Amino acid sequence: AVNKIGDGVTDAVQGFTGKEQYEFGDLTKTAVNKIGAEVADVVHDFTGKEQYKFGDLTRTMLSKLRPSRSKGGQIKLDGRNNKREEEL
């Protein structure tokens, strides 16, 4: 039974890390890389930028929150009118 458990753990570690031979730290390195890739995808989706530069998240957030004026002087937030069409 112990051998079966050991084989199961070995298979799980190999499946997670993609490596045949485990070396100390492989699980942590793989986890950090996978989390980093997911974070990079989220940042890309939020900012629309391929490469992150310091301050991109803050600038993007502020641009989405900052009121901007359209041609008719209407204030928009995040591309949506604050007023309903009937009020204009």
Side-chain angles (χ1 to χ4, degrees):
V2 173
N3 285 341
K4 287 184 180 182
I5 293 171
D7 290 343
V9 170
T10 299
D11 291 344
V13 169
Q14 287 175 344
F16 182 72
T17 63
K19 294 179 76 176
E20 287 289 319
Q21 290 293 109
Y22 172 78
E23 294 178 35
F24 183 78
D26 284 346
L27 289 172
T28 302
K29 289 176 196 173
T30 302
V32 167
N33 288 337
K34 287 184 179 194
I35 290 169
E38 289 178 25
V39 169
D41 289 343
V42 170
V43 169
H44 168 70
D45 291 345
F46 182 70
T47 64
K49 294 186 170 193
E50 290 294 325
Q51 292 290 321
Y52 171 79
K53 293 183 203 163
F54 182 78
D56 284 347
L57 289 171
T58 302
R59 280 190 288 279
T60 301
M61 182 181 64
L62 290 175
S63 72
K64 290 180 183 236
L65 295 175
R66 184 179 304 134
S68 63
R69 300 219 175 249
S70 66
K71 292 179 185 176
Q74 302 164 351
I75 295 177
K76 292 184 175 185
L77 287 176
D78 194 24
R80 292 177 274 163
N81 287 334
N82 285 342
K83 295 183 179 181
R84 294 189 315 237
E85 223 28 69
E86 308 87 62
E87 295 175 359
L88 299 175

